[in-house]
Amino acid sequence: MSQGLALASTAWLLASGAKPDRGVLELHSEAILPVPLDDAFAFFADAWNLERITPPWLNFRIRTRRPLDMREGTMLDYRIRLHGVPIPWRTRIDVWEPGVRFVDRQVVGPYRWWRHEHRFETTAAGTRVVDRVEYLPRVAWLSRRWVQRDVERIFAYRREALWQALVAPGSPGHES
């Protein structure tokens, strides 16, 4: 089955609508990286780096073809495997302010609501990367606790993976 057909066949089930009035969870995560802001933003501007900073247990894969021009309105297709079940995920870039921030919002995927703001700030130590996520799991009355724990684990992994990708010796772009 083609990627487009697979997404279309499940889109009605996994579609996201407007932000729900209540029950939305928030996650705030920060990492200070001793790299210039332009380098940190460039890392995130390459969508394929998301595979490098997502935990392997999600089996995250980008399905969108290269080349990709990141800008407001760009749509990105992914696939994750959660407990062995493949789940399509499509996000839209709602805000694109190079060197400052960008916002992606789930259009189709595992959450009832997902909005992720990535913010970049220069500090004396380098760059502060700030993630602010609003999300609401599907079937929240049953899944909220487990999903919240998993989202926290994902972002803990992401902070460490960012360090490894951008700062650790031997990483691309790191000068020893």
Side-chain angles (χ1 to χ4, degrees), residues 7-64:
L7 185 61
S9 67
T10 57
W12 66 272
L13 181 62
L14 298 175
S16 298
K19 181 179 177 182
D21 293 333
R22 58 187 177 169
V24 174
L25 300 169
E26 288 193 16
L27 174 120
H28 180 92
S29 178
E30 292 188 15
I32 296 180
L33 303 169
V35 299
L37 187 143
D38 288 344
D39 291 354
F41 193 88
F43 180 84
F44 281 88
D46 180 350
W48 279 263
N49 282 327
L50 190 51
E51 289 182 3
R52 294 174 61 189
I53 61 173
T54 301
W57 54 269
L58 284 174
N59 198 22
F60 179 93
R61 296 292 178 261
I62 295 179
R63 311 300 276 175
T64 302

Side-chain angles (χ1 to χ4, degrees), residues 47 56 62 74 77 93 96 102 106 115 127 131 144 161 170 175:
I62 295 179
T74 296
D77 290 321
I93 303 298
W96 183 257
F102 68 97
Q106 175 190 284
R115 181 183 183 277
T127 302
D131 292 293
R144 174 184 299 268
E175 299 178 275

Side-chain angles (χ1 to χ4, degrees), residues 11-174:
W12 66 272
L13 181 62
L14 298 175
S16 298
K19 181 179 177 182
D21 293 333
R22 58 187 177 169
V24 174
L25 300 169
E26 288 193 16
L27 174 120
H28 180 92
S29 178
E30 292 188 15
I32 296 180
L33 303 169
V35 299
L37 187 143
D38 288 344
D39 291 354
F41 193 88
F43 180 84
F44 281 88
D46 180 350
W48 279 263
N49 282 327
L50 190 51
E51 289 182 3
R52 294 174 61 189
I53 61 173
T54 301
W57 54 269
L58 284 174
N59 198 22
F60 179 93
R61 296 292 178 261
I62 295 179
R63 311 300 276 175
T64 302
R65 293 200 170 128
R66 292 182 191 247
L68 181 65
D69 181 26
M70 291 290 280
R71 64 186 186 315
E72 186 175 318
T74 296
M75 300 289 260
L76 297 158
D77 290 321
Y78 319 103
R79 189 203 70 230
I80 62 171
R81 282 192 180 275
L82 195 53
H83 306 291
V85 177
I87 301 172
W89 193 337
R90 174 175 282 169
T91 60
R92 179 185 190 279
I93 303 298
D94 284 344
V95 177
W96 183 257
E97 298 174 17
V100 178
R101 71 183 184 126
F102 68 97
V103 176
D104 62 84
R105 177 180 46 85
Q106 175 190 284
V107 177
V108 172
Y111 296 90
R112 183 167 166 217
W113 174 257
W114 176 276
R115 181 183 183 277
H116 182 181
E117 179 181 24
H118 312 250
R119 185 169 289 278
F120 302 83
E121 303 166 357
T122 298
T123 70
T127 302
R128 175 180 289 119
V129 178
V130 180
D131 292 293
R132 183 174 171 270
V133 182
E134 299 174 339
Y135 65 101
L136 181 62
R138 296 188 185 277
V139 198
W141 61 272
L142 178 64
S143 65
R144 174 184 299 268
R145 190 173 348 149
W146 293 284
V147 172
Q148 187 172 19
R149 182 199 66 212
D150 284 350
V151 169
E152 289 169 0
R153 284 178 53 211
I154 289 165
F155 279 85
Y157 179 93
R158 179 186 179 106
R159 284 188 303 273
E160 177 61 29
L162 274 172
W163 185 269
Q164 292 298 319
L166 292 171
V167 181
S171 65
H174 179 75

